[in-house]
Amino acid sequence: MLDQMFTAENFRRIYDAENRKGIDLATRYFPTLNPFTLAVRDKVQDIRDLRKIEATMAADDFEAQLLALKAALATLKAAKSSAVDSLMDDISQRVLKSSFKIKLSQKTGPKGKPVFCIDAEPETFFVIKQLQRNIHRIYGVKQANRHDLVCQLRDMLGSKFPFELVRTDISSFYESIDRKRLIEKLDRDQLLSPASKKYIKQVLDSYGAISSTPTGVPRGVGISAYLAELYLRPVDKAIRTIPGVVLYCRFVDDIVAVFARPPAGESLGSFKDRIISIFGDNGLTHNTAKTSEFILADLNPKDFEYLGYRFILIDSQLKIEPSASKVEKYRARMNAAFDAYWQMRPISPRGAYRGLVGRIKFLTGNTRLSNSKSHAVTGIYYNNSIATDLSNLEQLDRELRVLIKALKSSSLQRQLKKLKFITGFEQRRYHNFSTRELQMIVRAWKHG
């Protein structure tokens, strides 16, 4: 049976897992660990310095000093690990107190949507993370892979079979989830521990008190994505059992379903209407502006957007380009980068120069995320890898040239003229950025 308990041992697993992802919890929550971290860092540097002068030393002397430094490093790491264990024990004791309760606060997020946050206390962070682990492990809940979904859809659209396609999404999905129905399911299943259900109810109750609504789960709180996936399982199951379904793609609330209508027998009616009816059975509604139904075999041009791409079918020929919203995001960030340059130039010309070059490199190229130990990559190619029509990127390059031409520094112009959206995509051009550089780059793009 899965250990669902909110113990020091489980919190230590969470601490180590977050550390492996490159998330520095020590700096965020535990300043008392800083001396341990610095001592380990200094000892690692001592070992590096010793290796640099290895060629100038007698082999025996080098080995002896290296062994001594490694032993000292192991001692320092053990001391830090013991300090972390002590902190995790303190947190678990605070969580056990009857006074501990999860409370949310509300902020305004992108596009003016309300986003909810947990408090800044470490015990709340670790409880939420343990809840996520419990739900994920017990129910097998996880989000679909965006890239896999769009590749499956591309391959299906590229066939010549007379499929029918429904594109839709759920209107105000997080805000529409029936909390009562969700809690009843958790209670009925009897899979989560009483403590897990207690903390989930605290999160939902706090959200209800702030939002003053009987439905919904809080955007921005870690467990909401897991609860939302769990809530949609009956929807997924019902759509997958519609006769004729050959592909069902859902990422959060964005849905595409492809059907092969049987040639004879029962009249199935509109597949779109059947999906909308399934939404209604689960207390959900569809977004009419993003809902459409196509017969792929007819000769009428058709297009729709899904997960950052625009799929266009003309005369049975498939063309894929970055979605309009994604292109507009690149454009807004590009303009914001130049605005930041002109604002900073009178104050710090060198800082403005470096900032603009860094931001345009980031926009037009690709990079490995420096805080990701999974070597995750992002950028103009990796975020648009199945695109076949790059005319939107060519337009961005034309707009970039106009902005570069307005600059007064010829050396800055020369630097920036080397950077193009098309080149970054076609040549998969990479740029390396430190964590500090990435923080500087994104500073100009709040909510963008």
Side-chain angles (χ1 to χ4, degrees), residues 89 112 150 276:
D89 189 60
V150 293
I276 291 171

Side-chain angles (χ1 to χ4, degrees), residues 200-400:
I200 290 172
K201 289 173 183 176
Q202 285 182 5
V203 170
L204 298 182
D205 287 346
S206 180
Y207 170 77
I210 296 172
S211 65
S212 300
T213 59
T215 62
V217 296
R219 290 181 183 272
V221 178
I223 63 168
S224 292
Y226 293 81
L227 294 174
E229 287 294 315
L230 190 59
Y231 187 83
L232 277 187
R233 281 192 170 174
V235 173
D236 295 338
K237 183 178 179 181
I239 293 176
R240 286 193 174 103
T241 58
I242 296 175
V245 66
V246 292
L247 178 67
Y248 174 61
C249 300
R250 180 180 65 78
F251 187 82
V252 190
D253 57 354
D254 276 348
I255 293 172
V256 166
V258 180
F259 300 88
R261 188 176 293 273
E266 177 190 359
S267 174
L268 299 177
S270 165
F271 291 116
K272 179 186 74 173
D273 290 346
R274 294 186 72 146
I275 291 175
I276 291 171
S277 176
I278 290 169
F279 288 171
D281 291 341
N282 290 273
L284 305 168
T285 58
H286 69 292
N287 184 332
T288 54
K290 293 184 178 181
T291 299
S292 49
E293 187 171 25
F294 306 103
I295 299 174
L296 300 182
D298 70 35
L299 298 180
N300 295 321
K302 51 191 72 70
D303 71 86
F304 64 93
E305 292 193 352
Y306 186 62
L307 299 186
Y309 292 96
R310 183 183 180 205
F311 295 85
I312 306 166
L313 272 171
I314 301 176
D315 296 330
S316 299
Q317 297 299 310
L318 176 63
K319 184 171 68 172
I320 305 172
E321 60 184 36
S323 68
S325 59
K326 187 186 287 185
V327 173
E328 184 53 41
K329 188 174 185 178
Y330 289 136
R331 179 176 290 112
R333 288 186 168 188
M334 180 173 65
N335 290 330
F338 279 86
D339 289 344
Y341 167 79
W342 288 112
Q343 289 172 12
M344 190 175 182
R345 185 170 175 266
I347 304 166
S348 174
R350 290 182 62 186
Y353 186 114
R354 287 196 300 269
L356 182 56
V357 171
R359 289 182 178 113
I360 301 305
K361 276 186 175 181
F362 184 85
L363 280 177
T364 61
N366 304 279
T367 188
R368 294 193 184 278
L369 297 177
S370 61
N371 66 341
S372 170
K373 295 195 176 183
S374 62
H375 304 293
V377 289
T378 188
I380 195 66
Y381 171 77
Y382 290 97
N383 296 343
N384 302 281
S385 60
I386 72 165
T388 60
D389 182 342
L390 305 181
S391 55
N392 284 329
L393 300 189
E394 292 170 347
Q395 174 60 30
L396 288 173
D397 279 331
R398 287 191 287 271
E399 295 174 23
L400 177 59

Side-chain angles (χ1 to χ4, degrees), residues 26-93:
T27 299
R28 186 189 301 181
Y29 291 121
F30 310 116
T32 57
L33 290 177
N34 192 48
F36 295 95
T37 302
L38 292 176
V40 168
R41 191 176 299 165
D42 290 345
K43 197 58 64 178
V44 169
Q45 187 59 49
D46 290 343
I47 292 174
R48 288 174 180 163
D49 292 342
L50 180 66
R51 292 189 187 280
K52 289 178 183 178
I53 61 172
E54 178 181 359
T56 68
M57 300 175 65
D60 289 347
D61 288 344
F62 172 78
E63 286 298 330
Q65 290 189 40
L66 182 62
L67 285 172
L69 286 173
K70 285 184 173 180
L73 178 61
T75 300
L76 291 171
K77 286 183 174 180
K80 181 178 180 180
S81 181
S82 178
V84 172
D85 284 341
S86 179
L87 287 166
M88 296 302 104
D89 189 60
D90 289 344
I91 289 172
S92 69
Q93 293 301 316

Side-chain angles (χ1 to χ4, degrees), residues 6 102 126-136 192 195-197 199-200 203 223:
F6 298 83
I102 300 173
F126 281 92
V127 166
I128 291 291
K129 285 292 180 181
Q130 183 64 36
L131 281 176
Q132 290 174 211
R133 181 174 182 269
N134 293 348
I135 299 168
H136 168 65
L192 288 171
S196 293
K197 288 189 286 187
Y199 294 134
I200 290 172
V203 170
I223 63 168

